[in-house]
Amino acid sequence: MTEELNEIRKKIDEIDSKILELIAKRNSLAKDVAEIKSKMGIPINDEEREKYIYDRIRKLCREHKVDENIGVQIFKILIEHNKHLQKQYLSETQQK
Ligand SMILES: O=C(O)C(=O)C[C@]1(C(=O)O)C=C[C@@H](O)C=C1
């Protein structure tokens, strides 16, 4: 029974690694977005874009039978962190 549990945990570990890789990739785009927005003179916050993302995530949650609230909570964290990274990047680059 322990061997079975270990095999499942190994699969979970593999999935967790892939999730982290994708989060890192998503975060890495924050600088690019911040740069373009700065040049365009538009704010970091884009409520319309966030609404689109949340609506899309809710749809994907329904399709994949994932609790919508969980999906939205996860992406709220990712989006808020992305905004933090953008602000951090702009403050670092504008100080130079
Ligand atoms: O697409 C943008 O305009 C971004 O700044 C990225 C992002 C996101 O993390 O998806 C972050 C902040 C914005 O309010 C909207 C979306």
Side-chain angles (χ1 to χ4, degrees), residues 33-46 86 90:
V33 174
E35 194 68 48
I36 293 169
K37 287 187 164 183
S38 177
K39 287 174 181 169
M40 292 172 68
I42 61 176
I44 288 172
N45 275 44
D46 185 330
Q86 291 187 51
L90 290 178

Side-chain angles (χ1 to χ4, degrees), residues 10-23:
K10 190 177 170 190
K11 291 177 180 174
I12 291 173
D13 290 346
E14 289 167 3
I15 291 167
D16 290 353
S17 298
K18 289 177 181 172
I19 290 171
L20 252 295
E21 282 174 30
L22 291 172
I23 290 172

Side-chain angles (χ1 to χ4, degrees), residues 26 33 37 44-47 49-50 53 78-79 82-83 86:
R26 192 185 201 280
V33 174
K37 287 187 164 183
I44 288 172
N45 275 44
D46 185 330
E47 288 182 17
R49 170 65 182 166
E50 290 187 26
I53 293 169
L78 293 174
I79 289 170
N82 191 292
K83 288 190 272 192
Q86 291 187 51

Side-chain angles (χ1 to χ4, degrees), residues 42-90:
I42 61 176
I44 288 172
N45 275 44
D46 185 330
E47 288 182 17
E48 186 179 339
R49 170 65 182 166
E50 290 187 26
K51 183 185 183 309
Y52 169 84
I53 293 169
Y54 291 129
D55 289 347
R56 182 170 179 271
I57 291 306
R58 288 186 182 279
K59 179 174 180 292
L60 288 170
C61 283
R62 290 191 296 272
E63 290 170 2
H64 294 281
K65 295 180 174 46
V66 171
D67 183 306
E68 290 184 41
N69 293 319
I70 296 296
V72 169
Q73 281 179 55
I74 289 168
F75 277 83
K76 273 187 179 172
I77 291 168
L78 293 174
I79 289 170
E80 289 308 311
H81 185 56
N82 191 292
K83 288 190 272 192
H84 166 74
L85 291 173
Q86 291 187 51
K87 288 169 190 164
Q88 187 176 56
Y89 172 74
L90 290 178

